[in-house]
């Protein structure tokens, strides 16, 4: 309930914020996944 209320207060900027958060999560996740798959054959 609090999340939907908070998003409704933000208005149109909410979609932009979620896009920025998604991009940051992708930038953090991709190197970790690449490093993980690169380490598999070496083991």
């Amino acid at each position: 309930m609090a999340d939907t209320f908070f998003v409704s207060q933000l208005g149109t900027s909410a979609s932009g914020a979620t896009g920025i958060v998604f991009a940051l999560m992708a930038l953090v996740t991709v190197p970790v996944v690449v490093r993980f798959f690169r380490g598999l054959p070496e083991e």
Side-chain angles (χ1 to χ4, degrees):
M1 295 294 293
D3 290 335
T4 53
F5 176 77
F6 183 68
V7 170
S8 66
Q9 292 297 314
L10 288 176
T12 54
S13 61
S15 59
T18 49
I20 294 172
V21 171
F22 182 79
L24 288 175
M25 287 181 62
L27 287 174
V28 171
T29 303
V30 168
V32 174
V33 173
V34 169
R35 214 176 288 157
F36 175 75
F37 281 108
R38 279 185 182 172
L40 285 179
E42 296 175 358
E43 293 177 358

